[in-house]
Amino acid sequence: MHDDIPLTTGRARRVLDERILPAVHATATSLDTGWHELPGEPIPPSEGLALEFTPYEVGTTWGAAWGTTWFRLTGTVPTDWAGRRVEAVIDLGFDKNMPGFQCEGLVYLADGTPVKSINPRNQWVLVAEEAVGGEPVELFVEAASNPVLLDYHPFLVTHEGDVQTSSSKRLYTSRRMDLAVFESEVHELALDIDVLLELQAELPEGPRRMRILQALDDALDRLDLQHIAATAGDARAALAEVLAAPAEASAHTISAVGHAHIDSAWLWPVRETIRKVARTTSTMTELIDQTDDFLYGMSSAQQYAWIKEHRPEVYARVQAAVQAGRFLPIGGMWVESDTVMPTGESIVRQFSQGQRFFEREFGIRPKGVWLPDSFGYSPALPQLMRRAGFEWFFTQKISWNQVNKFPHHTFLWEGIDGSRVFSHFPSMDTYNSRLSGSEVAKASRQFRENRLATGSIAPVGWGDGGGGTTREMTGTAKRLADLEGSAKVRWEHPDVFFDRAKAELADPPVWVGELYLELHRATLTSQHGTKQGNRRCEQLLIEAELWATTAAARTDFAYPYDELDALWQQVLLQQFHDILPGTSIAWVHREAVAKYAETAAALTAIIERALSALAGPGDATVVVNPAPFLQAGAPAQGAVLATDVPDATPVTLTAQDGGHVLANDLVRVVVDGRGLVTSAVDLTTGREAIAAGQAANLLQLHQDFPNMWDAWDVDRYYRNRVEDLVAVTSVDASVDADGVARVVVQRAFGDSTVRQEITLAPGSRTLEFGQTTDWHETEKFLKVAFPLDVRAEHTVAETQFGAQKRVTHTNTSWEAAKFETSMHRYVLVSEPGFGVALVNDSIHGFDTTRDAVDGHVTTTVRLSLLRAPRFPDPETDQGLQTHRYGIVIGTDQLGATSAGVRMNAGARAVTGAHGFAPLVEVSGDVVLSSVKLADDRSGDLVVRVYEPVGQRGTGAIAVSDADGAVFGPATEVTLLEEPRGGAAALDASSFAVDAYEVRTVRFPRVRG
């Protein structure tokens, strides 16, 4: 028997695409259409429905970039359609390959009721299940003409990414606005053929595949191509037997959950995301109504809050679907944030703000952290997840690794403190599944835990730009529920999947340390202004809570709960994994920088009000220290009068060989005539920090043109071309009135200039660099190098509530892939007896090389300062940019921690009558992270501390009872501020801490 597989499959594919699919809505009549193009920003739906509409002809161009056009569609159901399912079919000019990345619309009834969205993969709107002939039809479409920025040739330079620079040319041409009969049997036939075509393509040339191919031929023989609807049922009958064959008993099980992964901003601004969420959730609630078993999951409390505020009529439908158990709040975070760059306090608030919202609105507390698409995952997360009450973690992004294949799909992830969280990666390697044959087969074939576990998760739906699950996907899932040759598919809550997976894997494999993404490494540097705004606002939030808490405990100051919540939520939003990493369009980052400025101003006002209450009325200068370490003569997290600050011995400044020598009691530094640091000696040990014959503070410029993903990626070949920026315009030196020695260096290169102030303060081990760059380069990467005379086996880089070690060698492909890595406020390199740290105020990326001359090993650390990618924002980092960083000469991990904290939480001077003692003091082996009042507004005091250097120890917390405020015995609580470990009291005067352990302690307010 001759088997011509391509003949059968080619026949089936052409008939499906050219005859069957068009026949689903073949019986149609045009709707009368009117339109109204808005001149500016979107308007509320109530106003859109009341607009005046002028006649519109289908085929006319519409919609400039970022514009909104309202369409009014009217018509009458033909009498001979009575009793049939009638739908409106609306094609605004869609490209079916770009759902979520081009024009979209939300359809309303005349009374303002939202129906569902329309997009490239979802162009229909239900008018009536059983139509009444002669019934009038009136629909309104709020259509968004979002420009296509990631086209078939991606990463092209475009100025369409900001409404301020986009063109006014109309982008889309409508194709269809019809009323049509929905031929359900034709639709079902299309799904039958599509599922079988994709299934057979994954099967070997055995009996099952051959019988599917024969059934397809038999079905097509029964189908009259000129009368599709009339013969569809007969064709389906020929496929019934192969579709009814049950799956093998050992078949992999896919737990499907509807999904849209709506990026809270990316190639669209936040204001458009708000509408995307409304469009997608309208469609998902409609699909829930149309099905019996479909489940849709959505994370990000922020997105629910947007619908509640901006589309309450949509939110009501979401609430009902949640109550019915079909719309699933998952993830428990405020947004799907970046997890590498935010501080530990920010991650805590992502959890606490998210869980508070879900519990308040739905009475639900999600059990897992759902983060499918973030650019690597901090090793501090397992502890924070567990202490926030989460039971599982889900992501997919690590499958994007350039070099190394991650060895597990279901496993335990162990963090820096030893905490472990049960984790799962979907084995089909996507968070936007459509349940295609290739995806389903891949999920089964490459699942790493096949020996013991039976299944994996599949997030199903069009995503990134939204859209979600379609009725085609739910129809596919129905056919794959129990089908021979395929994995079995069922809609299932992730909690159910994780409970089963834990039972199956009693001894799961363990992955220790960070989940490093071998891709998108440049997200640690792109859009410096956004990253700087985040770092500064994080610190101001912590400081505002500290002083507001202290003032509320000691005065009649009213703690600003609502204001702080709103400001936290704004910063948390901008930690979304395409905003903070610097990978969004210009519009997003322009708004983000402006929001950071507004947030900083509001937080500064809170701080000033609280400090005014604490210092009292007066005109004396009070020095206030928000850091948990001493600085500028002020007590840790307290204040003194400026007259009580001891005088410091000035730094000496002497000329030497065309350069300058800066020295205090601790260190001696040489800055040569080029403004480079050629020597940095720790006077305590006599050790030289700078590698012999080399110079630190060396700015280096690289060509930076990655293979793709411009704002996201830096490819390792960037190192092959480098320019050392050693030429100077001027070098000047002086000692100021505070005894600080200062060397000012100015340089010019390309189209840019740099001005550095190199300073050494009395009593400080840190040589600081204040840098202002007027940056006008293109496709360049600016770094600053510190070749250090330290034989370091590891770098120690700060992360949330601790640090992570990375080896300095590249013995394996796993180490070699980490050629650009992350830090928070410091990175330390050390050998026994001596260490050097680099600290910063807004830098997150660095690289390390291990060098040797005649057996003498040194370590070079380079901080990543600025980039100039051209997609998606062609003006990335252009203009004035500022950095502060420093080299700490002769230090250990605790010293690096304190120096990093001081650089980010500097002392401030205010006017008042007196200083004041700290409300909370800690001692022993812990560092104070935050002081705040409890989220439940009880007035209880919440204090968070952590062990900073990775060793066991003891800590103590003392709370002042000055001015009448009295707090009761301490209790350890979770990150959600609820009793932990059986609500046992904690002896705050002495308690044990493990390496990098985070402890959150609650003191009930009993008086004052």
Side-chain angles (χ1 to χ4, degrees), residues 530-863:
T530 298
K531 293 173 171 60
Q532 187 176 68
N534 175 74
R535 179 78 71 85
R536 289 178 177 174
C537 286
E538 286 179 316
Q539 177 55 42
L540 286 171
L541 279 160
I542 294 167
E543 186 177 352
E545 288 180 335
L546 168 68
W547 300 136
T549 301
T550 306
R554 292 179 171 168
T555 73
D556 59 358
F557 182 84
Y559 192 84
Y561 291 101
D562 291 336
E563 193 174 359
L564 285 170
D565 273 349
L567 293 168
W568 265 115
Q569 289 167 12
Q570 182 62 50
V571 171
L572 298 178
L573 164 61
Q574 291 176 187
Q575 290 171 349
F576 177 74
H577 64 252
D578 274 309
I579 302 179
L580 182 55
T583 52
S584 290
I585 56 174
W587 191 347
V588 172
H589 291 290
R590 172 171 57 81
E591 286 191 338
V593 170
K595 288 292 186 182
Y596 285 129
E598 293 174 11
T599 300
L603 289 166
T604 300
I606 293 173
I607 291 168
E608 290 174 348
R609 294 199 310 266
L611 290 176
S612 178
L614 285 165
D619 55 8
T621 300
V622 180
V623 179
V624 181
N625 178 17
F629 298 97
L630 300 178
Q631 61 179 336
Q637 295 194 329
V640 295
L641 292 175
T643 54
D644 296 330
V645 176
D647 293 331
T649 303
V651 177
T652 62
L653 176 68
T654 56
Q656 177 180 294
D657 299 329
H660 300 88
V661 179
L662 296 70
N664 61 22
D665 295 336
L666 300 175
V667 298
R668 178 181 180 275
V669 175
V670 177
V671 179
D672 72 8
R674 302 168 298 170
L676 304 180
V677 178
T678 56
S679 175
V681 176
D682 173 12
L683 297 177
T684 305
T685 62
R687 278 291 304 266
E688 171 65 67
I690 308 302
Q694 299 193 57
N697 187 39
L698 175 63
L699 293 170
Q700 295 184 305
L701 193 66
H702 294 272
Q703 188 166 280
D704 182 19
F705 189 64
N707 288 357
M708 57 192 302
W709 298 108
D710 295 33
W712 293 255
D713 282 359
V714 56
D715 291 328
R716 70 173 309 121
Y717 57 73
Y718 87 93
R719 289 177 170 177
N720 298 345
R721 184 181 178 93
V722 60
E723 177 185 358
D724 292 344
L725 304 179
V726 296
V728 295
T729 304
S730 64
V731 178
D732 299 296
S734 62
V735 178
D736 66 21
D738 294 323
V740 176
R742 177 173 283 101
V743 178
V744 178
V745 182
Q746 301 200 65
R747 307 182 191 277
F749 59 93
D751 295 320
S752 305
T753 60
V754 171
R755 182 181 188 275
Q756 286 185 327
E757 289 193 5
I758 306 172
T759 58
L760 182 64
S764 175
R765 290 186 173 275
T766 304
L767 182 70
E768 291 195 14
F769 304 85
Q771 180 167 311
T772 300
T773 309
D774 192 6
W775 178 249
H776 296 284
E777 303 308 299
T778 300
E779 294 163 354
K780 293 292 193 293
F781 195 179
L782 182 66
K783 284 181 169 270
V784 60
F786 289 83
L788 303 173
D789 192 8
V790 179
R791 183 187 179 114
E793 302 302 319
H794 301 84
T795 61
V796 179
E798 188 184 38
T799 187
Q800 295 93 355
F801 301 120
Q804 55 186 314
K805 286 186 176 181
R806 301 182 181 97
V807 296
T808 56
H809 64 72
T810 55
N811 284 358
T812 73
S813 59
W814 291 91
E815 282 97 31
K818 296 181 180 181
F819 59 82
E820 183 79 5
T821 50
S822 66
M823 64 177 171
H824 282 197
R825 294 170 295 197
Y826 74 81
V827 57
L828 169 73
V829 293
S830 63
E831 59 183 58
F834 185 71
V836 178
L838 299 179
V839 294
N840 73 86
D841 77 333
S842 55
I843 299 167
H844 295 87
F846 73 97
D847 71 275
T848 310
T849 52
R850 184 182 178 95
D851 307 302
V853 176
D854 296 330
H856 185 76
V857 175
T858 61
T859 308
T860 298
V861 180
R862 300 192 309 159
L863 305 181

Side-chain angles (χ1 to χ4, degrees), residues 22 27 78 86 184 190 312 382 391 399 403-404 448 453 573 628 679 723 818 862 921:
T27 304
V86 175
S184 61
E391 299 175 8
S399 69
V403 178
N404 298 287
R448 294 298 182 98
L573 164 61
S679 175
E723 177 185 358
K818 296 181 180 181
R862 300 192 309 159
E921 293 184 278

Side-chain angles (χ1 to χ4, degrees), residues 297-633:
M298 190 170 90
S299 68
S300 301
Q302 172 69 88
Q303 296 188 359
Y304 291 84
W306 277 335
I307 319 172
K308 181 180 180 181
E309 178 183 357
H310 297 280
R311 293 290 194 274
E313 66 283 0
V314 176
Y315 191 63
R317 293 173 60 181
V318 169
Q319 287 178 303
V322 171
Q323 186 66 31
R326 304 282 300 282
F327 196 114
L328 313 177
I330 54 178
M333 297 179 73
W334 189 251
V335 297
E336 290 183 11
S337 75
D338 179 86
T339 71
V340 175
M341 290 178 279
T343 63
E345 286 301 324
S346 289
I347 298 297
V348 171
R349 310 317 167 91
Q350 290 283 358
F351 294 157
S352 64
Q353 291 281 350
Q355 292 288 52
R356 284 165 57 196
F357 180 90
F358 287 128
E359 191 153 34
R360 180 174 66 248
E361 294 293 317
F362 307 118
I364 290 173
R365 185 174 288 186
K367 293 183 178 181
V369 173
W370 181 274
L371 273 175
D373 181 27
S374 198
F375 309 146
Y377 303 90
S378 161
L381 282 181
Q383 177 179 199
L384 302 185
M385 287 188 247
R386 295 303 302 272
R387 297 206 173 211
F390 292 107
E391 299 175 8
W392 54 259
F393 170 65
F394 173 90
T395 188
Q396 177 271 329
K397 199 67 172 187
I398 301 301
S399 69
W400 286 39
N401 276 1
Q402 280 182 326
V403 178
N404 298 287
K405 187 79 171 177
F406 195 78
H408 315 299
H409 287 110
T410 305
F411 61 101
L412 288 174
W413 178 23
E414 182 179 312
I416 55 174
D417 74 310
S419 294
R420 294 179 174 183
V421 63
F422 198 84
S423 305
H424 177 72
F425 298 171
S427 52
M428 63 172 55
D429 289 348
T430 182
Y431 52 81
N432 290 328
S433 172
R434 63 179 184 85
L435 294 177
S436 68
S438 60
E439 290 169 345
V440 170
K442 185 178 186 180
S444 177
R445 181 177 62 251
Q446 73 170 15
F447 182 56
R448 294 298 182 98
E449 282 66 54
N450 265 327
R451 289 193 175 201
L452 297 171
T454 58
S456 60
I457 288 180
V460 178
W462 299 108
D464 292 324
T469 317
T470 64
R471 64 181 174 189
E472 288 76 17
M473 294 171 188
T474 58
T476 297
K478 184 176 181 179
R479 286 157 177 80
L480 297 180
D482 190 15
L483 183 61
E484 183 185 357
S486 171
K488 294 182 283 190
V489 175
R490 61 187 177 206
W491 299 107
E492 190 168 65
H493 196 299
D495 287 347
V496 177
F497 164 82
F498 275 97
D499 286 345
R500 183 172 61 252
K502 288 177 184 178
E504 293 174 342
L505 285 167
D507 186 22
V510 179
W511 180 266
V512 179
E514 67 182 321
L515 292 171
Y516 178 90
L517 178 62
E518 296 175 4
L519 196 72
H520 295 357
R521 302 168 181 89
T523 57
L524 299 171
T525 306
S526 297
Q527 297 286 0
H528 175 68
T530 298
K531 293 173 171 60
Q532 187 176 68
N534 175 74
R535 179 78 71 85
R536 289 178 177 174
C537 286
E538 286 179 316
Q539 177 55 42
L540 286 171
L541 279 160
I542 294 167
E543 186 177 352
E545 288 180 335
L546 168 68
W547 300 136
T549 301
T550 306
R554 292 179 171 168
T555 73
D556 59 358
F557 182 84
Y559 192 84
Y561 291 101
D562 291 336
E563 193 174 359
L564 285 170
D565 273 349
L567 293 168
W568 265 115
Q569 289 167 12
Q570 182 62 50
V571 171
L572 298 178
L573 164 61
Q574 291 176 187
Q575 290 171 349
F576 177 74
H577 64 252
D578 274 309
I579 302 179
L580 182 55
T583 52
S584 290
I585 56 174
W587 191 347
V588 172
H589 291 290
R590 172 171 57 81
E591 286 191 338
V593 170
K595 288 292 186 182
Y596 285 129
E598 293 174 11
T599 300
L603 289 166
T604 300
I606 293 173
I607 291 168
E608 290 174 348
R609 294 199 310 266
L611 290 176
S612 178
L614 285 165
D619 55 8
T621 300
V622 180
V623 179
V624 181
N625 178 17
F629 298 97
L630 300 178
Q631 61 179 336

